[in-house]
Amino acid sequence: MNRALINKILITLGFLFAYRVLAYVPVPGVNIDVIREFFTSNSSNALGMFNMFSGGAAERLSIISLGIMPYITASIIMELLAATFPNLGKMKKERDGMQKYMQIIRYATIVITVIQAIGVSIGLQSLTGKDGASAIMIDMNLFIGISCVSMLTGTMLLMWIGEQITQRGIGNGISLIIFAGIVSGIPSAIGGTIDLVNTGELNFLVVIAIALVILATVGVVIYVEMGERRVPISYSRKTVMQNQNKRIMNYIPIKVNLSGVIPPIFASAILMFPGTILQASTNEFIVAINDFLNPNSYFFNILTFLFILFFAYFYASITFNAKDISENLKRQGGFIPGVRPGESTANFLNEVASRLTLTGSIYLGLISTLPWVLVKFMGVPFYFGGTSVLIVVQVALDTMRKIEAQVYMSKYQTLSAVGL
């Protein structure tokens, strides 16, 4: 392993460590015991799921308790706008325009963070513990100002950490932050499960069944994520002769899951947002809506499935550009056997990608919801969904692929240097 790769891995681990340290820095003026007690009693609903994605930062009301979700929400809004307005989509494709596009996302993140911070602060005003202690220990107006500044600073730090990991480390920074948040909760989840078994609330056979469901989910995710459709490519004799000393790929690999980990992350971000805001209300109508958005409800998981289908198609249409691929093939003298170059090739690739996206979106939807259904039938007294397993496995696989690519690149550079 070369030094450059080791440095990138160390940089990534260093930034993730900084993220975990920030999770233990609370917003000034809050009673952490009351907040933790509140999240413990709501561990099976949207707040429990939100706390899981934040890596336990929410139950400590740390400065990063909002997590990276405001940034993801802003990204979703911008992606939808870019698909709707051609000028914005064109700006995104240009090099200078992409910088402006990312700057707009950052500003939108600030607005969303401030709105959420104010909502959380107002919601905490009526929160008290079992002993009657208030969640806020200072003046309310002062607390709103402090919490807004603290949470905004924390979210901006997270966004910066994610960008630094992407640019200087290994893997996608935002995905790795969510990955680290979920993984950090595994030890406490195992400890809680052991406590439930010891107290008799959970049967040991049910624990074994849950472990089997998790292993099966991991196996299916790995199997599908490695799957791809290889579209054969032929090159003219002239092109082959000109490049006879170069490696020529004789197929186009199209992944079964073209959209990756984005659909479940986007779906979770959208569904957790209203549940988190509505949790503080005592209005009967709003409470009823909040019950529907409980992660342990069938309605929530049906919505999750539908949102994942939508975002899988939406994101695949953005990442896979059949027209560009067909034009590049035509310039290089390549063609798909039995298919005319140009528009016919683009239509063929679009058709293949569409069929794969259908399969991939159904797979994502089932993996995100089916484990919950199975665990629900077992009568497990806590929330467990396939979304977290899906995100962890996909991010781990993606990071491993990027590490392998760095290793191969290092070997290629070494061989080139020796050849020279």
Side-chain angles (χ1 to χ4, degrees):
M1 191 178 292
N2 65 332
R3 185 176 295 275
L5 178 58
I6 293 174
N7 289 338
K8 286 188 174 185
I9 293 174
L10 291 176
I11 287 171
T12 302
L13 292 176
F15 278 117
L16 291 178
F17 176 75
Y19 156 65
R20 293 308 304 154
V21 170
L22 290 173
Y24 289 87
V25 180
V27 173
V30 296
N31 189 328
I32 299 177
D33 293 332
V34 175
I35 303 294
R36 185 177 289 112
E37 181 183 304
F38 174 68
F39 272 92
T40 300
S41 62
N42 290 277
S43 59
S44 62
N45 57 30
L47 286 175
M49 190 176 181
F50 178 76
N51 187 47
M52 177 189 69
F53 276 94
S54 69
E59 68 178 6
R60 304 181 193 97
L61 202 71
S62 80
I63 60 173
I64 61 165
S65 55
L66 294 179
I68 201 68
M69 289 305 172
Y71 178 80
I72 294 174
T73 304
S75 299
I76 294 171
I77 294 171
M78 287 300 295
E79 291 286 2
L80 292 172
L81 290 176
T84 306
F85 300 101
N87 290 336
L88 191 59
K90 185 178 179 181
M91 181 180 72
K92 181 184 173 184
K93 294 179 181 178
E94 297 172 354
R95 185 174 180 180
D96 294 336
M98 188 61 183
Q99 294 179 352
K100 296 179 181 178
Y101 181 86
M102 293 304 298
Q103 197 65 25
I104 295 173
I105 291 179
R106 294 187 187 100
Y107 288 136
T109 302
I110 293 173
V111 174
I112 293 171
T113 303
V114 170
I115 293 172
Q116 288 188 343
I118 293 173
V120 169
S121 302
I122 294 173
L124 290 175
Q125 185 178 9
S126 58
L127 182 63
T128 56
K130 292 180 181 179
D131 57 355
S134 176
I136 302 174
M137 298 185 294
I138 59 176
D139 178 72
M140 185 60 196
N141 293 327
L142 178 61
F143 176 73
I144 291 176
I146 291 174
S147 65
C148 282
V149 173
S150 300
M151 291 183 185
L152 179 60
T153 302
T155 300
M156 292 297 103
L157 280 172
L158 272 190
M159 189 170 65
W160 179 78
I161 287 172
E163 291 177 352
Q164 292 301 308
I165 291 174
T166 302
Q167 294 172 8
R168 301 169 58 188
I170 291 287
N172 182 284
I174 303 301
S175 297
L176 281 171
I177 286 174
I178 298 175
F179 169 88
I182 296 173
V183 170
S184 66
I186 291 178
S188 61
I190 293 174
T193 304
I194 293 173
D195 290 339
L196 290 173
V197 173
N198 291 336
T199 56
E201 294 182 50
L202 197 61
N203 192 291
F204 183 70
L205 293 177
V206 174
V207 175
I208 294 176
I210 293 173
L212 291 175
V213 170
I214 294 173
L215 290 174
T217 304
V218 171
V220 171
V221 171
I222 293 174
Y223 178 77
V224 177
E225 290 302 315
M226 294 295 189
E228 61 184 22
R229 165 74 186 278
R230 295 183 175 183
V231 179
I233 300 296
S234 295
Y235 291 90
S236 62
R237 182 180 296 274
K238 181 180 178 180
T239 304
V240 173
M241 291 302 294
Q242 287 177 348
N243 297 276
Q244 59 183 347
N245 294 324
K246 297 180 181 179
R247 181 184 175 189
I248 300 175
M249 183 178 290
N250 59 354
Y251 62 86
I252 299 175
I254 305 178
K255 292 182 63 179
V256 175
N257 178 23
L258 279 169
S259 51
V261 75
I262 298 300
I265 291 178
F266 277 14
S268 298
I270 288 178
L271 290 173
M272 283 193 297
F273 179 75
T276 306
I277 300 299
L278 297 176
Q279 190 70 36
S281 177
T282 56
N283 183 280
E284 292 183 4
F285 179 71
I286 294 179
V287 170
I289 295 175
N290 196 38
D291 289 338
F292 275 111
L293 295 176
N294 188 325
N296 264 326
S297 69
Y298 289 98
F299 183 73
F300 178 91
N301 284 274
I302 290 171
L303 281 180
T304 299
F305 186 87
L306 295 176
F307 272 119
I308 286 175
L309 290 183
F310 169 76
F311 282 118
Y313 271 96
F314 175 74
Y315 202 75
S317 66
I318 295 174
T319 56
F320 186 81
N321 194 322
K323 185 177 180 181
D324 288 349
I325 295 173
S326 65
E327 289 176 355
N328 289 334
L329 279 175
K330 193 174 181 179
R331 283 196 295 269
Q332 295 170 7
F335 61 92
I336 300 173
V339 181
R340 289 188 176 186
E343 187 176 348
S344 296
T345 298
N347 292 336
F348 176 80
L349 291 174
N350 274 327
E351 185 179 347
V352 172
S354 179
R355 289 199 299 267
L356 289 175
T357 302
L358 175 62
T359 305
S361 62
I362 293 175
Y363 141 77
L364 285 175
L366 290 177
I367 286 295
S368 298
T369 56
L370 194 57
W372 172 84
V373 174
L374 294 175
V375 172
K376 183 78 171 178
F377 279 117
M378 297 176 194
V380 176
F382 55 81
Y383 172 76
F384 171 79
T387 302
S388 54
V389 178
L390 181 65
I391 291 173
V392 168
V393 176
Q394 280 194 340
V395 173
L397 287 174
D398 181 62
T399 306
M400 286 175 61
R401 288 194 193 101
K402 289 180 178 176
I403 290 175
E404 289 177 358
Q406 289 286 333
V407 171
Y408 287 134
M409 186 181 296
S410 173
K411 289 181 179 178
Y412 177 78
Q413 290 173 348
T414 302
L415 290 172
S416 298
V418 171
L420 291 172

